Amino acid sequence: AVVPIYVSVVADNAHPPVFGSMSYSPSITETISIGQPIVRVSATDLDCDDDVYYSIEGGNIGGIFDVNAVTGDIIAIKPVDRDVTNKFNLIVSASDTGSPSR
């Protein structure tokens, strides 16, 4: 007896997401509205089938900011007080949905 076997070769996750800019430097005022977008970070993945997701990994003193995991929009989720903190150095990561995730 003979049986055909069809083997599909799928692409592996060879590339991590890469940000379009090495840094972002928006300025805000203390009167910024909660939920108002401050800046949108953006990364692309050469493995074009992979979605990119964003998260804040560090520098979010007081939990003032949040990032939309899908769009990359950074927003204030709490009031900003310049007398308490006048500069934030957020670390945002981009990861993909490939296997293994990068």
Side-chain angles (χ1 to χ4, degrees):
V2 180
V3 65
I5 299 175
Y6 303 100
V7 177
S8 296
V9 178
V10 297
D12 63 355
N13 190 21
H15 303 95
V18 176
F19 283 98
S21 178
M22 294 303 293
S23 66
Y24 298 82
S25 300
S27 295
I28 60 172
T29 65
E30 291 177 308
T31 58
I32 188 168
S33 298
I34 301 300
Q36 177 181 337
I38 298 166
V39 66
R40 176 176 285 185
V41 297
S42 179
T44 55
D45 190 339
L46 292 177
D47 302 313
C48 58
D49 292 339
D50 297 340
D51 293 323
V52 176
Y53 293 98
Y54 304 94
S55 62
I56 297 176
E57 299 295 322
N60 194 8
I61 299 166
I64 302 289
F65 301 100
D66 195 17
V67 62
N68 181 304
V70 176
T71 66
D73 285 338
I74 306 287
I75 62 169
I77 59 172
K78 294 182 181 177
V80 178
D81 185 344
R82 185 176 191 280
D83 295 329
V84 175
T85 306
N86 66 359
K87 189 171 209 166
F88 295 87
N89 294 311
L90 300 177
I91 305 299
V92 176
S93 70
S95 58
D96 61 29
T97 57
S99 180
S101 179
R102 293 188 179 257

